Amino acid sequence: LSYQQINHSCWYQRRVRGSQFKRLEHQHTHKSATHSFNMTLLVVLTTLIALCSAHVYFKEDFSDANWESRWVVSDWKKDSGESGAWALSAGKYYTDESKERGLKTTQDARFYDISAKHEEFSNKGKDLFIQFSVKHEQNLDCGGGYVKLVPGDGLDDQKDFKGGEKETKYNVMFGPDICGHTKKVHFILHNKGTNHLIKTDVPCETDEFAHIYTAALYSDNTFKIFIDGEEKKSGAVSDNWDILPPKKINDPSQSKPADWVDERMIDDPEDKKPEGWDDIPAEIVDPEAEKPDDWDDDLDGEWEAPKVPNPEYKGPWQPKKIDNPAYKGPWVHPQIDNPDYKDDTELYAFDSFKYIGIDIWQVKSGSIFSHFTLADSWDDVKGDIELVNTFREGQKAKKDEEEKARQASEEKTKAEESEDEDEDEDDDDDDEEEDKPDL
């Protein structure tokens, strides 16, 4: 083949391969674009499904002042004059009054009962998030700060919402409680006519700024407690509440053997009480006591010297203790499976929620409740957590500003008083000079 023929053949092959490569590249680009589009569409659809399935059952931030149309104050304790009055307030320290206000307790040593209705729902098969903020500006020393979730059959009239011995039936009670040494978060679940307290104490916040409390009941029968968005406690409902009977019980057919020895120490049989031990009296006549010079036997009776503890007295004799050679250790009762135990995968679930209420007693009033949310998605509560955390920092800054202003005012007052005292002393000196006689 000539050089021209060979060169033409190579050119043709390169052209064919180049055309094939471009065709493959186009196919690949088309497939990549299609895959990218499909992935984007999948993400959008997943997000939309999540948004559509997520549901907010109740939300209240008191951004408008018409709260009395949504909240009903109970008549409980009204006749006895023990019910406290509510007011809408942002408190003493705030950065945005309309966003930080809430229901405030206003009278000391009162019961406070109030509730709001929401759409009725069940949390079976769904997660449930219970959230609200509370600010104890009064430095609460004894009083509650929790909420109750009431089922549809728990109230016929919200005016009858109450606590006490005949309290309104509720599904869940959650929130902080402070009284003396008690400073914890209550989390109570109702089950088959009994209110069950969480077995572990979770400390609550005790300062005077806003904090947001979140309880989560998950559909896998677990729970979490958050304060200001920080997880404080989590686990299985069955492990943290005594709702179910124990899995194991003592075997009723077994009992401690009659010859079982569980005394670790015994009296030393070789130890003998010393002779004359019991002859030593517990008290003796005070050898330093003397009959008073003015003692009259006829008038005062026969004088007797007082007694004092005997330093030689050692108390009742007891033999020494030695290790018991027959000791077998503490007897452990054998256990068996509890025939009454039955697992319940829906301890977290309730058939009906219809009201949210506050039922508390406070010695010192001033607590502010706000930012209530009942929802089935974390995404629906996390926004308020960030908001309240920001509010709290602003409240701290406002208090710091007030404290600095107070200190500056006190220093200014002291300086002015000091100047007045100096002027008074100068005036006194001038008067003394004027009063001196001329020589």
Side-chain angles (χ1 to χ4, degrees):
L1 295 172
S2 65
Y3 173 79
Q4 287 84 1
Q5 290 174 316
I6 294 172
N7 189 42
H8 178 76
S9 176
C10 291
W11 171 82
Y12 180 77
Q13 291 178 23
R14 286 197 302 272
R15 185 176 180 183
V16 170
R17 287 197 300 270
S19 177
Q20 291 173 339
F21 176 78
K22 287 182 179 180
R23 196 159 51 245
L24 290 171
E25 182 180 39
H26 175 74
Q27 292 173 354
H28 176 73
T29 302
H30 177 71
K31 288 181 179 178
S32 297
T34 303
H35 176 72
S36 178
F37 173 77
N38 289 338
M39 289 300 294
T40 303
L41 182 62
L42 179 62
V43 171
V44 171
L45 288 174
T46 302
T47 303
L48 288 173
I49 291 170
L51 289 173
C52 292
S53 61
H55 195 87
V56 177
Y57 305 105
F58 179 77
K59 194 167 186 67
E60 176 67 87
D61 60 5
F62 302 98
S63 54
D64 69 87
N66 192 26
W67 65 272
E68 290 175 300
S69 66
R70 300 183 297 274
W71 292 81
V72 178
V73 178
S74 172
D75 286 340
W76 187 56
K77 297 292 183 180
K78 189 174 182 180
D79 292 341
S80 64
E82 298 175 90
S83 62
W86 296 89
L88 194 63
S89 173
K92 188 176 181 181
Y93 304 114
Y94 58 84
T95 53
D96 190 328
E97 192 272 340
S98 64
K99 293 181 180 179
E100 296 181 50
R101 63 191 178 192
L103 290 178
K104 180 179 180 179
T105 59
T106 63
Q107 295 172 286
D108 295 345
R110 292 289 189 275
F111 291 93
Y112 291 90
D113 288 81
I114 192 170
S115 64
K117 182 191 291 187
H118 53 77
E119 66 168 290
E120 189 169 8
F121 69 92
S122 170
N123 68 322
K124 283 188 176 182
K126 295 178 286 186
D127 299 337
L128 173 61
F129 292 87
I130 306 160
Q131 182 168 280
F132 68 98
S133 69
V134 62
K135 177 167 62 169
H136 298 307
E137 272 198 337
Q138 75 278 43
N139 285 316
L140 185 65
D141 53 3
C142 190
Y146 39 79
V147 298
K148 292 180 176 180
L149 303 189
V150 179
D153 62 356
L155 274 177
D156 292 326
D157 186 345
Q158 286 177 255
K159 289 282 188 179
D160 296 329
F161 179 59
K162 61 186 175 183
E165 293 183 0
K166 298 181 180 179
E167 66 181 344
T168 300
K169 182 180 76 173
Y170 60 86
N171 294 334
V172 180
M173 187 176 105
F174 172 69
D177 186 25
I178 299 171
C179 196
H181 296 295
T182 299
K183 297 177 175 66
K184 67 179 182 180
V185 177
H186 276 304
F187 199 173
I188 299 176
L189 300 179
H190 182 89
N191 187 278
K192 297 178 181 177
T194 303
N195 294 328
H196 299 271
L197 281 71
I198 190 170
K199 295 190 289 187
T200 305
D201 282 353
V202 178
C204 65
E205 298 295 330
T206 58
D207 60 37
E208 59 193 290
F209 306 107
H211 293 277
I212 191 161
Y213 292 82
T214 312
L217 287 171
Y218 297 103
S219 58
D220 63 357
N221 235 15
T222 61
F223 78 99
K224 287 183 180 179
I225 296 174
F226 303 87
I227 302 178
D228 299 329
E230 182 180 342
E231 183 181 317
K232 299 297 183 179
K233 182 68 179 175
S234 64
V237 174
S238 59
D239 294 337
N240 289 272
W241 280 266
D242 286 327
I243 300 175
L244 299 176
K247 293 182 180 180
K248 298 283 186 178
I249 60 171
N250 292 338
D251 186 348
S253 67
Q254 298 288 329
S255 59
K256 185 169 70 171
D259 61 349
W260 187 274
V261 179
D262 52 12
E263 290 180 304
R264 182 186 294 274
M265 307 294 289
I266 60 172
D267 294 341
D268 185 353
E270 298 182 1
D271 190 21
K272 305 298 181 183
K273 181 166 62 175
E275 292 185 7
W277 183 280
D278 293 335
D279 297 333
I280 303 172
E283 293 181 327
I284 59 173
V285 173
D286 185 355
E288 297 180 1
E290 295 181 357
K291 181 178 178 180
D293 294 337
D294 58 351
W295 187 274
D296 189 326
D297 291 340
D298 294 332
L299 295 176
D300 301 324
E302 184 180 354
W303 181 79
E304 292 182 1
K307 290 187 176 183
V308 294
N310 185 357
E312 301 296 327
Y313 180 69
K314 298 180 181 179
W317 183 81
Q318 292 181 340
K320 293 186 298 184
K321 296 285 186 180
I322 61 170
D323 290 333
N324 187 353
Y327 176 67
K328 295 183 179 180
W331 184 75
V332 179
H333 202 129
Q335 292 199 315
I336 60 172
D337 291 335
N338 186 355
D340 295 329
Y341 176 80
K342 183 180 179 181
D343 191 20
D344 186 345
T345 59
E346 293 186 340
L347 295 175
Y348 75 94
F350 297 88
D351 292 329
S352 168
F353 291 96
K354 193 173 182 180
Y355 307 93
I356 183 170
I358 302 171
D359 164 40
I360 57 174
W361 157 267
Q362 289 194 335
V363 173
K364 191 188 296 183
S365 63
S367 297
I368 300 173
F369 297 83
S370 190
H371 303 97
F372 295 88
T373 304
L374 299 178
D376 61 11
S377 168
W378 173 256
D379 290 337
D380 291 316
V381 298
K382 66 180 182 180
D384 277 352
I385 293 174
E386 297 170 359
L387 197 65
V388 172
N389 288 344
T390 301
F391 290 157
R392 183 172 58 259
E393 295 308 311
Q395 292 160 14
K396 290 179 180 179
K398 286 289 184 180
K399 184 183 179 183
D400 289 342
E401 290 175 9
E402 182 184 90
E403 183 63 21
K404 289 178 181 178
R406 184 189 64 79
Q407 292 177 354
S409 177
E410 288 179 355
E411 290 173 0
K412 181 180 179 181
T413 300
K414 288 180 180 179
E416 291 174 349
E417 290 175 350
S418 178
E419 289 179 4
D420 291 342
E421 290 176 359
D422 291 341
E423 291 176 0
D424 290 341
E425 289 178 0
D426 291 340
D427 291 340
D428 291 340
D429 291 341
D430 292 341
D431 291 341
E432 290 177 1
E433 288 294 330
E434 292 177 359
D435 291 341
K436 288 181 180 180
D438 295 333
L439 299 176

